Amino acid sequence: MHKEYKGVWCDSYKKFLIFKNLNIAIFGAYGGIGKVLANSLKSKNANLFLCGRNSEKIQTLAQEFESPFQVCDASDFSSTEEAINNCVATYGRLDGVVNCCGSLLLK
């Protein structure tokens, strides 16, 4: 990292490196990459909103991370839209979305 950079872009970038109090929705949160990412973001004090198709798995993960969740099928636009709206309703804003869905196609 170049510490000598100044300006809006750099300040915003630094904010995202810290993650504290950022509201992040993770789709496919209980899969391998999603769970590792959720753990990493939670350890950096990000506010997580966890999404996944399997209600049992997503509830278990949500309890583990003490985070709100929504059962959601990311391939369904209305389901995804509802999850995003619920995240905004929960935290007041949404700072980032991560899609960790799709590994089923590789299996």
Side-chain angles (χ1 to χ4, degrees), residues 2 4-5 9 12 14 27 39 45 57 92 101 103:
H2 298 284
E4 55 273 357
Y5 283 132
W9 182 86
S12 297
K14 286 178 186 175
F27 289 83
N39 189 44
N45 297 312
K57 288 181 181 181
C101 303
S103 64

Side-chain angles (χ1 to χ4, degrees), residues 27-85:
F27 289 83
Y30 56 77
I33 294 171
K35 189 172 183 179
V36 170
L37 178 65
N39 189 44
S40 177
L41 290 172
K42 189 68 173 182
S43 73
K44 293 176 171 73
N45 297 312
N47 300 315
L48 304 180
F49 191 88
L50 307 173
C51 304
R53 284 188 302 188
N54 185 305
S55 63
E56 197 173 299
K57 288 181 181 181
I58 200 68
Q59 278 183 317
T60 301
L61 187 67
Q63 288 173 348
E64 181 181 333
F65 289 119
E66 298 177 349
S67 296
F69 72 95
Q70 172 134 0
V71 176
C72 171
D73 181 354
S75 67
D76 177 20
F77 180 79
S78 62
S79 180
T80 304
E81 183 179 37
E82 182 182 350
I84 294 295
N85 289 337

Side-chain angles (χ1 to χ4, degrees), residues 99-107:
N99 179 16
C100 296
C101 303
S103 64
L104 181 65
L105 299 175
L106 301 175
K107 293 181 182 175

